[in-house]
Structures are given as structure tokens and as C-alpha cells.
């Protein structure tokens, strides 16, 4: 089945056309600056290896979707003859609250529940709704499926998702752990379970999705027991610009000392912290690694090194604590931008973990700095398997969509 995977952001819309039986991506692209000046579409036709970028006015996501369909059906840069060759649309949705524990076919009831998710992720949900409306306007009657980043984490027990705040705020506002990157954790944990060669029910896996945004999950028997992101994607390990877990008392303390408003404090923790805040110069792990490679002669070295070591320390703590709550560990998986492309961080994390059964294979890790296929970085003797598995959230979205639509 040909599924158009749509990932709508507030001013952007990414898409991929995926044939779900083969997993083949025939085209992908992005519309940028939707609703602003200088909006453009970049379209890649992967079969003929063509890439075009063109400026085109897009006042909203419906305009963007029209351009996407035009590009997909274009005689020269397209890959399908007409829209009928797209059987369904699959949307990436960032937050499904506690309303959605699995992917679902869009209907009026689903749409109104999604409206309620605005209270958790206002910017993202508004963008998703615009993307959905854009698809309804451009491809009326085409089945649309929503795939939620939070859904995979809905298997957590209350002890993992309820915060030790007065219970009334959980009931009143839905304040609880929801997690994020669920589609990625689901994909790589399932791939890892296959590699372990034992029934999924018997597997204990820690998945480390480490990118600009990062989260770690404990997946036991194919179900999430805990995950590092929380009520929002600010929780957990240090990230590109997010602070991750901090003592919550720091928030009122800093607000009082610096006279920050809640919005300023939120901005500081989300956009000025993490790698950027600690290093003082970049949120991108490549820049930090360059400074570290230069050594102490580079004035940026010390804090770049500190920023990376904080992340290492955080990840180790999560792996250890998740092994404890799962009562064991079969495998650790690294994925996403940093997980797949930063051998230095992988080495730092996996060193000195023999007590847990991890025997790191440095040579294998060094030989695969950028991983595009499943790669083992633990020794054959290691009790715990450590793998780098490239994530593929779009494929999961396309496959879920195809399965739901095929059953109609
Ligand atoms: P997001 O959370 O925005 O999806 P990514 O998963 O793309 O982010 O991760 C971005 C991070 O991954 C950046 O810190 C970047 O340095 C790192 N990264 C991505 N690709 C590469 C690469 N080819 N080489 C080294 N680092 C990379």
C-alpha cells in the first residue's frame, strides 16, 4: 500500500511516500515557512535521485498539501500518476494524552479528542490539526490515520507515571508522565527483540533515543515500564537545548533571583540549557565533539567536555535504574542523530559497565561511526547485547496506517 506520511509542524510540513510491503520510500520532502515570507518546498524523488527546491507561496497547510500532491504527481519530479495511487495518509502526532494508546483511524470523535490534546502540546497539536485539515481539503475521502509519539508509553503502571504531587492535580489537569519518541522506542525495541532471537515477552531492553531531543525507555516484554521524558519533553537526560531532570526547587529559586516570568523560565530550560547552556557555544554534538577533539588548547574544550560528560552520566544512570526496575537487562540500543552518529558518546556510556554485563566492543564501535544499518557494538561474550539501530519512525507510521486501512 502507498501511504503518505505527514509530519506537520507549526510552519513546516515533512512528508514521505512509502510503499509498505517493500518499505520503499519513493519520495520525500519538506515545506518550510508555511504562512510566512519566502515559503518553499524541497522535494526529493528517490527512485530517479532528483532533488528540487522551489519557492512558492503557502498561506496555510492546505496550500502546502496541494504543493506536495503536485510534486508527487508531477511528470518530471513525481513518482505517481495521480492521487488515487495514494491509498492512505498517516500522521505523526506528538501528544495523544491518555486518550490514545494506539494508532487510530481519523473520524469526528478522534478529531475532537485530539482537540483536547492541545492542553498538553499546544503548538504541535495545532500544527497537526492544520496538517489534517490540509489533507481533508486536498484529498477528501482519503483515509487518515493518527500515530502518536506518546502511545507506546501508555503501558506504564501508575507507579511509573503518577508524580508524587497532590493527586488532585493528576485528576484535574492530567499531570502525569506521558513520555515521547514512542514510535522510535517501539521500532528499535521490536528490532532489538528480533535480534535477541527470543520471544518478545522474555526481553528486557533499554532504548536510548539520543538526538537533539533525547529519551530513554525501559521496555520489558515489548511494553514500556518507564521512560525518561515526563509530562513534557523537558524531562530526562540533558539535551541539545533542554536541561532534562533538575531539582524542581531550582525553578522558583531562579525565578526569584533573576525576576524571570514563568515564560522566561520555561524558555531558559527548553531553549538555553543542555549542551548549549553548559558549553556556552553550541547545541550541536558535532561542534562539541570538534572542540573536544582539539584538546585543552581549545578554550571551548573544558565546557564542551563537561556538557558531553553530563549526558554520559545521565544515560548511565538511566540504564542502571531501568535494569533495576526490569530486574535484568538483555540489551541496550542507541538510536537517533547522536545515538547513530556519535561513537565517542557511545563509548563513554558503555565503558565501566561490566558489573551490569556490558562488555563493550571498541573496535566495532570505532569501525561504525555513522550507522545506517543494525550494528553490534558489544563483544560476543557480553551478557548484555549493545546495538546501534537506525530508527525509522516514518516506516512505523506507514505500516500502522496500512494495517488499519487494510482492515476497513
Ligand atoms: P531531533 O531530535 O531534532 O530529531 P536528531 O535526531 O537529528 O535531532 O539529532 C540531532 C543531533 O544529532 C545533533 O546534535 C547532531 O550533532 C547529531 N547528528 C546528526 N547527524 C549527525 C552526523 N551525521 N554526524 C554527527 N552527528 C550527527
Amino acid at each position: 500500500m502507498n501511504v503518505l506520511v505527514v509530519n506537520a509542524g507549526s510552519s513546516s510540513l515533512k512528508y514521505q511516500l512509502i510503499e509498505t510491503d517493500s518499505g520503499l520510500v519513493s519520495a520525500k520532502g519538506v515545506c518550510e515557512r508555511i504562512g510566512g515570507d519566502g515559503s518553499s518546498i524541497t522535494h526529493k524523488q528517490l527512485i530517479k535521485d532528483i532533488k528540487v527546491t522551489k519557492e512558492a507561496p503557502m498561506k496555510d497547510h492546505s496550500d502546502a498539501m496541494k504543493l506536495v500532491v503536485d510534486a508527487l504527481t508531477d511528470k518530471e519530479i513525481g513518482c505517481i500518476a495521480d492521487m488515487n495511487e495514494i491509498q492512505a495518509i498517516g500522521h505523526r502526532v506528538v501528544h495523544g494524552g491518555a486518550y490514545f494508546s494506539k494508532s487510530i483511524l481519523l473520524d469526528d470523535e478522534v478529531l475532537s479528542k485530539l482537540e483536547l490534546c492541545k492542553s498538553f502540546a499546544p503548538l504541535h497539536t495545532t500544527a497537526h490539526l492544520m496538517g489534517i485539515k490540509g489533507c481533508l481539503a486536498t484529498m477528501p475521502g482519503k483515509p487518515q490515520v493518527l500515530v502518536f509519539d506518546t502511545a507506546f508509553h501508555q503501558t506504564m503502571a501508575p507507579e511509573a507515571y503518577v508524580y508524587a504531587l497532590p493527586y488532585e492535580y493528576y485528576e484535574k489537569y492530567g499531570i502525569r508522565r506521558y513520555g515521547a519518541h514512542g514510535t522510535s522506542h517501539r521500532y528499535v525495541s521490536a528490532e532489538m527483540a528480533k535480534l535477541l532471537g527470543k520471544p518478545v515477552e522474555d526481553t528486557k531492553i533499554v532504548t536510548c533515543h539520543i538526538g537533539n531531543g533525547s529519551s530513554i525507555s525501559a521496555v520489558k516484554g515489548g511494553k514500556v515500564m518507564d521512560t525518561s521524558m515526563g509530562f513534557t519533553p523537558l524531562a530526562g537526560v540533558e539535551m541539545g537545548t533542554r536541561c532534562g531532570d533538575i531539582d524542581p526547587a531550582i525553578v522558583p529559586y531562579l525565578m526569584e533571583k533573576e525576576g524571570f516570568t514563568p515564560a522566561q523560565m520555561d524558555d531558559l530550560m527548553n531553549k538555553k540549557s543542555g549542551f548549549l547552556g553548559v558549553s556556552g557555544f553550541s547545541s550541536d554534538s558535532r561542534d562539541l565533539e570538534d572542540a573536544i577533539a582539539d584538546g585543552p588548547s581549545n578554550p571551548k574544550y573544558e565546557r564542551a567536555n563537561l556538557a558531553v560528560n553530563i549526558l554520559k552520566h545521565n544515560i548511565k544512570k538511566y540504564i542502571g535504574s531501568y535494569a533495576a526496575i526490569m530486574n535484568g537487562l538483555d540489551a541496550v540500543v542507541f538510536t537517533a542523530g547522536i545515538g547513530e552518529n556519535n561513537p565517542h558518546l557511545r563509548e563513554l556510556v558503555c565503558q565501566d559497565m561490566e558489573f551490569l554485563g556490558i562488555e563493550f566492543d571498541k573496535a566495532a564501535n570505532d569501525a561504525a561511526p555513522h550507522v545506517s544499518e543494525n550494528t553490534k557494538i558489544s563483544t560476543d561474550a557480553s551478557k548484555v547485547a549493545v546495538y546501534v539501530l537506525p530508527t525509522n519512525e516514518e516506516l512505523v507510521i506507514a505500516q500502522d496506517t496500512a494495517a488499519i486501512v487494510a482492515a476497513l
Side-chain angles (χ1 to χ4, degrees):
M1 190 181 289
N2 261 333
V3 175
L4 181 62
V5 174
V6 173
N7 182 353
S10 47
S11 66
S12 72
L13 186 147
K14 292 187 194 143
Y15 61 95
Q16 287 196 10
L17 187 65
I18 303 181
E19 205 290 307
T20 51
D21 291 330
S22 60
L24 186 82
V25 182
S26 47
K28 63 178 175 180
V30 59
C31 299
E32 290 171 291
R33 295 174 193 248
I34 301 169
D37 292 337
S39 47
S40 64
I41 176 167
T42 299
H43 177 81
K44 288 184 200 161
Q45 211 278 30
L46 298 163
I47 300 160
K48 295 190 217 154
D49 197 20
I50 303 170
K51 180 181 168 186
V52 281
T53 300
K54 68 169 186 180
E55 286 206 9
M58 288 175 231
K59 66 176 182 320
D60 55 25
H61 289 65
S62 295
D63 286 351
M65 276 316 301
K66 274 193 209 105
L67 286 161
V68 171
V69 171
D70 285 350
L72 290 170
T73 53
D74 187 273
K75 281 205 171 59
E76 270 157 35
I77 60 166
C79 50
I80 51 172
D82 59 52
M83 271 186 335
N84 294 328
E85 287 186 42
I86 301 172
Q87 273 89 41
I89 302 157
H91 291 272
R92 178 203 178 203
V93 179
V94 161
H95 215 305
Y99 303 109
F100 301 105
S101 56
K102 55 181 196 286
S103 305
I104 195 159
L105 184 74
L106 185 79
D107 61 18
D108 290 344
E109 194 191 334
V110 167
L111 206 54
S112 46
K113 274 192 196 155
L114 184 61
E115 289 276 353
L116 299 176
C117 296
K118 271 190 192 163
S119 66
F120 303 117
L123 297 178
H124 282 109
T125 310
T126 305
H128 300 325
L129 287 162
M130 290 193 290
I132 291 165
K133 283 171 190 158
C135 290
L136 284 171
T138 325
M139 292 176 269
K142 195 79 71 190
Q144 300 195 46
V145 169
L146 309 188
V147 181
F148 302 90
D149 272 8
T150 46
F152 188 50
H153 301 303
Q154 283 290 310
T155 51
M156 283 185 289
E159 65 202 44
Y161 69 71
V162 175
Y163 291 114
L165 289 164
Y167 196 75
E168 65 193 88
Y169 299 117
Y170 162 59
E171 294 178 307
K172 205 161 146 191
Y173 301 121
I175 294 178
R176 50 158 284 180
R177 183 185 306 282
Y178 291 102
H181 300 134
T183 310
S184 175
H185 290 287
R186 180 177 142 203
Y187 176 76
V188 295
S189 62
E191 286 291 296
M192 190 63 239
K194 280 188 231 157
L195 290 165
L196 285 169
K198 55 179 176 174
V200 174
E201 297 71 41
D202 298 340
T203 55
K204 296 169 180 174
I205 302 169
V206 172
T207 47
C208 306
H209 176 113
I210 312 294
N212 216 359
S214 303
S215 65
I216 304 190
S217 294
V219 188
K220 185 179 181 187
K223 294 191 172 135
V224 174
M225 278 194 80
D226 204 350
T227 191
S228 63
M229 280 183 169
F231 178 56
T232 74
L234 181 57
V237 297
E238 180 195 29
M239 305 178 218
T241 59
R242 287 172 244 168
C243 58
D245 298 336
I246 58 170
D247 179 344
I250 294 167
V251 177
Y253 185 86
L254 254 186
M255 287 174 77
E256 210 174 295
K257 287 273 176 205
E258 295 281 326
F260 292 144
T261 63
Q264 285 171 322
M265 192 63 212
D266 191 64
D267 191 62
L268 182 142
M269 294 186 292
N270 273 292
K271 302 203 177 125
K272 297 180 181 152
S273 300
F275 279 175
L276 177 64
V278 176
S279 74
F281 72 95
S282 179
S283 63
D284 193 298
S285 77
R286 282 168 284 207
D287 298 335
L288 270 53
E289 291 297 336
D290 286 348
I292 294 168
D294 286 347
S297 63
N298 184 331
K300 292 175 175 163
Y301 166 84
E302 203 171 311
R303 275 166 55 187
N305 201 35
L306 176 61
V308 169
N309 275 302
I310 292 173
L311 177 60
K312 168 209 72 171
H313 188 78
N314 292 170
I315 298 174
K316 273 178 179 282
K317 284 210 299 198
Y318 271 102
I319 295 173
S321 61
Y322 285 174
I325 60 162
M326 291 193 291
N327 190 20
L329 183 64
D330 296 316
V332 173
V333 179
F334 289 94
T335 194
I338 295 177
E340 293 167 27
N341 294 293
N342 188 324
H344 178 226
L345 181 82
R346 298 194 299 252
E347 180 174 348
L348 289 173
V349 170
C350 296
Q351 265 172 358
D352 303 324
M353 297 278 265
E354 292 80 10
F355 84 99
L356 204 55
I358 293 177
E359 206 179 281
F360 184 61
D361 186 340
K362 181 170 162 47
N365 186 54
D366 288 350
H370 306 287
V371 169
S372 55
E373 55 190 40
N374 300 348
T375 302
K376 188 172 159 197
I377 54 167
S378 52
T379 66
D380 288 342
S382 183
K383 283 201 208 94
V384 173
V386 185
Y387 272 79
V388 187
L389 304 181
T391 194
N392 197 342
E393 290 154 284
E394 292 77 13
L395 182 64
V396 178
I397 295 171
Q399 286 173 338
D400 272 14
T401 302
I404 288 172
V405 172
L408 289 178

